[in-house]
Amino acid sequence: LTVMGGNLNNAIETRRDAAGKVLVNNGAVAIVGGTAAVANTALVNYITASRLIYGMAHQGLLPLRFGDVHAKRRTPHIAILAFFLVAMPLALFGTIAELAAATVLLLLLVFAVVNAALFVLKRRKGEKHGYFEIPLAVPALGALVCLALVVVRVGTGDWRAPSIAGVLLLGAVLIYAAVRPKVAPAAPSP
């Protein structure tokens, strides 16, 4: 099926590919739409990350300078620049597949740590029960499954995604060690 506009330059061609999907202009519409969707997601993530850095600065988890707001634009310009300095090398030197795989590894590590923390909290003596309680086996299994998935992924032999995740994790640990809040020593008990 071909639908022609006023002249040949305005032609819109609609057909089906081998899988039966409708393609408009050989998939150009899907590519443009997909590009817009990816760009929108990237923008939302960029805004979210810079606001997260801003909030962490105001909670004392990062230097207060990251919480500075531009006088005219009222945006956290230092946080935006800091995230840019992390994101740009990743965008330039990593493929989408490598960055996605590194993100999955980091998320699995976060989930493992959260589950392990819940396991520890549930075993702590004197910890108050919450509104919703789960059996102790659930966070234990959650942590183990997440760690097993990390081990399987790292053991596949593809070193790029684990190395990207490792560098990001090491950078986060070093930044935290450098700027962590100084806790005053507890007073000795009588």
Side-chain angles (χ1 to χ4, degrees):
L1 167 69
T2 301
V3 179
M4 302 299 255
N7 60 38
L8 292 179
N9 292 332
N10 289 335
I12 298 175
E13 181 181 337
T14 305
R15 63 186 178 138
R16 293 187 181 271
D17 69 357
K21 296 181 199 164
V22 174
L23 297 176
V24 177
N25 287 352
N26 292 324
V29 172
I31 291 170
V32 170
T35 302
V38 169
N40 183 52
T41 302
L43 178 61
V44 168
N45 286 333
Y46 196 88
I47 290 171
T48 301
S50 65
R51 277 22 177 215
L52 181 64
I53 293 169
Y54 167 83
M56 290 174 70
H58 281 276
Q59 290 183 354
L61 299 172
L62 288 173
L64 194 54
R65 181 92 169 116
F66 286 113
D68 286 356
V69 175
H70 193 272
K72 186 176 180 181
R73 294 184 182 87
R74 306 299 301 156
T75 58
H77 62 291
I78 303 296
I80 291 170
L81 179 62
F83 183 69
F84 175 79
L85 294 175
V86 172
M88 190 49 59
L90 292 173
L92 293 175
F93 300 116
T95 66
I96 294 288
E98 292 166 354
L99 295 176
T103 301
V104 168
L105 283 171
L106 290 171
L107 285 173
L108 284 170
L109 288 173
V110 167
F111 294 156
V113 168
V114 168
N115 278 297
L118 181 57
F119 181 81
V120 169
L121 287 174
K122 286 189 73 60
R123 296 196 62 211
R124 184 185 291 172
K125 301 263 189 262
E127 190 70 29
K128 294 181 181 179
H129 288 278
Y131 179 75
F132 178 76
E133 290 290 325
I134 58 170
L136 192 59
V138 172
L141 286 172
L144 290 174
V145 167
C146 289
L147 289 175
L149 289 171
V150 169
V151 168
V152 167
R153 175 60 182 93
V154 170
T156 62
D158 180 19
W159 59 271
R160 289 181 182 96
S163 62
I164 291 170
V167 167
L168 288 172
L169 188 59
L170 178 64
V173 168
L174 291 175
I175 289 170
Y176 178 75
V179 300
R180 71 175 174 214
K182 308 299 183 248
V183 179
S189 57

